[in-house]
Amino acid sequence: MSRALARRETIAGYLFMLPSLFFFITFVIYPMVMCVWTSLFNSTMGKEAQDTFIGIANFVELFQDKIFLKALWNTILIVVVSVPTVCIFSLWVSSRIYNMPDWACSLFRVIFYLPVITGSVAVTVVWKWMFNNYYGIFNYVGTSLGILEKNINWLGDERFALWCIILILFTTSVGQPIVLYVSALGNVDQSLVEAAQVDGATDLQVFWKIKWPQIMPTTLYILVITTINSFQCFALIQLLTSGGPNNSTQTIMYYIYYTCFKLYRYGYANAMGVVLAIIIAILSAVQFKVAQEK
Amino acid sequence: MKERKNKSPYAIGSAVVIAILAFLFAFPLYWIVTGAFKTPAAINAAQPDWFPVEWTLRNFEVLFAKRSAPLWELAVPFSETLTGKTVYFSVGPTPPAAFRWLINTVFMSVAAMVLTCVTASLAGYALAKKRFWGRGLMFTLIVCAMALPKQVILIPLVREMAALNLSDTLWAVIFPIVGWPFGVFLMKQFSEGIPGEILESARIDGAGELKTFTSIALPIIQPGIGALAIFTFINAWNDYFMQLIMLQNTGSLTISLGIAKLQGENATDFGLIMAGAALASVPIIIVFLAFQKYFTKGITMGAVKG
């Protein structure tokens, strides 16, 4: 490549990158750096706030903060319950619908995707009504079928609140995995499947030996996005329970919000953000590692 | 082979189970839409109506009775930094608040979508097809940033927006969405498919860089842009957390925030809240159904390429 051409390539390259780089650096890289930096300060919201450098004191406090540990525990519980159920459920549904007639397959795909499209707030408010102590459909159906003896205050009861949240999260999480699995299963090499069937393989063998390895990349992607989504579960908590009753539905995401915008402890909230980022990064790395070895 | 499998008892049984599940998944949406037309008496009855017995528009009347700010009142970005005071561009009548929220949401989603598509396709093309110093570094940076969770940037962004005087404007929500590097990454993967020889011959024919991009690269990466557009639109529409921390004034709320606010103020008027929820969800569902085919393709392509 001649020098003039190389220069032209460089200039053109940077000009093409420029608009995107501006937004990327200003609104992604800079706040990321600031998050880590501010987590080392005792800092409050507000214009005349004075920041004092306190090193890792925020992090030390974090791991002695009972509410944070409770939030961490709840978040891990949500992830541990919802990620496998979402993956298994969506794989099962997809494997049943992907070779149905086209209209049926897309109809089911659309329906399972509806809660995602409806939007977290609209979904949450209708579930709040359905779970309501007096006017909710769950209590009505439960008591009239004789399953429940009396009305249950689903979201106000420590025993049930978190499970209600997990259920709603589940309905809003399976849409995308189903779309992905249907397309992945449709792309499985049919000649291999047929060859195995000629050789007398059972459906289960065909699935584990042929289809499963081929949809592995999709499974990995679904694991990663479902984990991240479960970690970020926020609207449900904020609108349904505000972390209550008695912190039984407190999650890291909600606690970050609460610390920052209700307690105005800006530096402390950032320290939580850093911890959350590290946990998610480690989990994603582990998932990639495990999947690569298989 | 397929015929036989489809008729086994297991296949029929599971089809029935899936149909029942599908019904349950669609139920909340049905409950929103019918609830929006139920009378307060029907909603607060211990025994719910499975279908509205008495239809009413009362919920929508209450919803639309709330007024907010003039129709078009958009803060010009960076105006305060440049001129010392916030310049508003405002005309038109004062519509119901809910209507205003809907317009805000549409504006925010469309602006985020257009800006993302333009910047990402330019940058993705450069990363894939231009050879320049620092290209590898930039790409690494983008991939690393993508692997980190978004919430890390959200809290510092609130302060940054306040410093830039963008607080409480829709731009505070739009710009971070545009900056998020997933789009650049996706468009880079698509641009890899542009044959180098065509670009080379265009250059020999004396076409300028921008001309080469618009006439050769753009048609090839168009399906990718379509996917990215839908993806960004829906994500922006539903990005509740970012909207919540950035927007406070009644005039600048999005429809999601609006319903959340309604819910906070009238916790038990479920009819009114359902009317709001219907207003928030029905338009986006119509968009989704209209572009369903592209949308499905969009999510799949995003996953395969990503």
Side-chain angles (χ1 to χ4, degrees):
Chain A
M1 215 157 39
S2 76
R3 183 172 278 185
L5 183 59
R7 205 163 73 201
R8 183 180 143 160
E9 286 274 297
T10 304
I11 293 170
Y14 276 104
L15 284 179
F16 277 114
M17 291 291 298
L18 196 64
S20 176
L21 272 184
F22 167 74
F23 288 106
F24 180 54
I25 290 171
T26 322
F27 300 108
V28 177
I29 295 294
Y30 174 76
M32 265 181 195
V33 174
M34 283 316 285
C35 178
V36 178
W37 179 242
T38 329
S39 69
L40 303 173
F41 286 80
N42 181 8
S43 166
T44 47
M45 286 303 254
K47 294 218 166 173
E48 63 289 331
Q50 289 287 317
D51 294 358
T52 28
F53 185 80
I54 51 167
I56 59 163
N58 278 329
F59 293 94
V60 173
E61 187 188 342
L62 208 54
F63 287 100
Q64 291 160 354
D65 182 339
K66 287 227 166 60
I67 304 178
F68 175 76
L69 294 176
K70 177 78 182 158
L72 186 63
W73 165 251
N74 285 338
T75 310
I76 290 170
L77 189 66
I78 292 175
V79 171
V80 167
V81 174
S82 77
V83 172
T85 42
V86 165
C87 288
I88 294 168
F89 178 83
S90 51
L91 180 57
W92 179 73
V93 169
S94 314
S95 68
R96 301 318 306 168
I97 66 172
Y98 88 99
N99 52 12
M100 282 183 180
D102 273 352
W103 67 266
C105 181
S106 25
L107 178 72
F108 283 127
R109 238 178 0 187
V110 166
I111 291 175
F112 285 111
Y113 207 83
L114 274 181
V116 186
I117 291 296
T118 310
S120 46
V121 177
V123 166
T124 308
V125 293
V126 73
W127 280 91
K128 186 166 194 173
W129 179 23
M130 296 199 294
F131 276 130
N132 187 279
N133 198 356
Y134 307 107
Y135 322 118
I137 197 140
F138 280 97
N139 279 332
Y140 171 72
V141 172
T143 47
S144 46
L145 291 181
I147 305 168
L148 304 175
E149 275 179 29
K150 55 181 183 3
N151 282 3
I152 289 177
N153 188 4
W154 296 100
L155 297 167
D157 191 319
E158 271 183 57
R159 286 169 299 166
F160 304 115
L162 191 64
W163 297 102
C164 295
I165 302 270
I166 291 176
L167 175 68
I168 307 173
L169 187 67
F170 175 80
T171 67
T172 58
S173 302
V174 297
Q176 197 177 357
I178 287 177
V179 171
L180 295 172
Y181 268 138
V182 165
S183 129
L185 287 167
N187 289 335
V188 167
D189 193 343
Q190 273 303 312
S191 59
L192 285 178
V193 175
E194 275 160 30
Q197 280 167 341
V198 169
D199 289 345
T202 64
D203 281 356
L204 206 63
Q205 283 172 325
V206 169
F207 178 79
W208 280 111
K209 301 283 178 200
I210 295 167
K211 291 180 183 166
W212 179 247
Q214 289 199 43
I215 58 173
M216 200 57 210
T218 309
T219 305
L220 174 64
Y221 181 74
I222 289 171
L223 278 177
V224 172
I225 56 166
T226 316
T227 307
I228 292 177
N229 282 343
S230 310
F231 263 110
Q232 293 185 346
C233 167
F234 173 78
L236 290 175
I237 311 283
Q238 196 234 350
L239 296 169
L240 291 178
T241 63
S242 306
N246 193 15
N247 291 318
S248 62
T249 58
Q250 189 69 262
T251 61
I252 300 187
M253 223 20 213
Y254 184 74
Y255 195 47
I256 290 179
Y257 169 79
Y258 183 79
T259 311
C260 186
F261 297 98
K262 305 289 176 212
L263 304 177
Y264 304 109
R265 296 192 59 195
Y266 182 76
Y268 193 51
N270 274 320
M272 274 184 244
V274 171
V275 171
L276 182 58
I278 292 171
I279 294 174
I280 294 185
I282 291 174
L283 268 183
S284 305
V286 168
Q287 282 168 338
F288 263 102
K289 202 86 192 153
V290 170
Q292 262 173 358
E293 276 166 15
K294 281 209 172 165
Chain B
M1 246 5 193
K2 263 189 173 180
E3 281 301 301
R4 183 185 62 82
K5 258 170 71 181
N6 278 344
K7 281 175 187 157
S8 75
Y10 172 57
I12 295 170
S14 55
V16 171
V17 172
I18 287 171
I20 295 170
L21 286 168
F23 177 79
L24 293 176
F25 267 75
F27 185 77
L29 185 64
Y30 168 81
W31 213 229
I32 291 175
V33 176
T34 51
F37 293 103
K38 285 180 187 167
T39 59
I43 280 176
N44 292 344
Q47 184 181 355
D49 291 336
W50 294 102
F51 189 75
V53 180
E54 188 189 340
W55 292 75
T56 175
L57 287 174
R58 174 258 172 198
N59 298 323
F60 287 97
E61 279 158 14
V62 176
L63 180 67
F64 287 123
K66 293 177 193 287
R67 305 266 150 182
S68 63
L71 188 49
W72 298 109
E73 194 184 58
L74 299 166
V76 180
F78 303 116
S79 57
E80 191 165 337
T81 323
L82 296 173
T83 64
K85 61 175 197 288
T86 314
V87 179
Y88 285 102
F89 172 72
S90 68
V91 280
T94 303
F99 190 57
R100 173 63 190 267
W101 298 335
L102 203 56
I103 290 176
N104 282 342
T105 317
V106 172
F107 174 81
M108 176 197 75
S109 309
V110 171
M113 177 183 87
V114 172
L115 279 173
T116 305
C117 287
V118 172
T119 57
S121 57
L122 285 171
Y125 167 73
L127 278 178
K129 290 293 157 188
K130 295 284 156 205
R131 298 285 167 269
F132 56 90
W133 184 86
R135 173 173 152 272
L137 177 75
M138 277 183 212
F139 189 63
T140 315
L141 207 58
I142 282 171
V143 174
C144 289
M146 248 167 55
L148 284 173
K150 214 172 178 179
Q151 54 277 66
V152 178
I153 67 169
L154 292 174
I155 308 291
L157 266 176
V158 175
R159 240 193 198 183
E160 190 185 345
M161 291 305 173
L164 292 171
N165 287 315
L166 289 172
S167 283
D168 223 354
T169 69
L170 293 171
W171 302 108
V173 180
I174 295 168
F175 290 158
I177 295 176
V178 178
W180 196 248
F182 172 76
V184 179
F185 183 79
L186 185 69
M187 294 322 294
K188 185 207 172 237
Q189 306 305 95
F190 272 97
S191 301
E192 301 283 6
I194 306 169
E197 307 88 67
I198 312 184
L199 295 174
E200 186 72 3
S201 62
R203 196 169 50 82
I204 291 163
D205 288 347
E209 292 289 350
L210 205 60
K211 179 96 177 106
T212 314
F213 175 75
T214 51
S215 59
I216 295 167
L218 217 47
I220 299 177
I221 59 174
Q222 209 189 351
I225 298 179
L228 180 62
I230 297 169
F231 207 77
T232 315
F233 183 86
I234 304 272
N235 274 351
W237 188 286
N238 284 336
D239 195 345
Y240 173 69
F241 190 77
M242 182 122 80
Q243 298 166 13
L244 177 73
I245 61 175
M246 295 297 182
L247 309 170
Q248 282 97 35
N249 270 339
T250 325
S252 63
L253 295 188
T254 60
I255 188 78
S256 297
L257 289 175
I259 314 165
K261 191 176 147 78
L262 276 182
Q263 204 233 202
E265 290 166 359
N266 324 271
T268 49
D269 191 349
F270 287 111
L272 171 64
I273 299 166
M274 289 311 121
L279 193 71
S281 53
V282 171
I284 188 95
I285 288 172
I286 292 172
V287 171
F288 169 64
L289 292 178
F291 293 100
Q292 203 236 111
K293 206 174 69 191
Y294 301 94
F295 192 76
T296 325
K297 223 186 258 172
I299 342 184
T300 334
M301 277 201 279
V304 173
K305 303 269 178 182

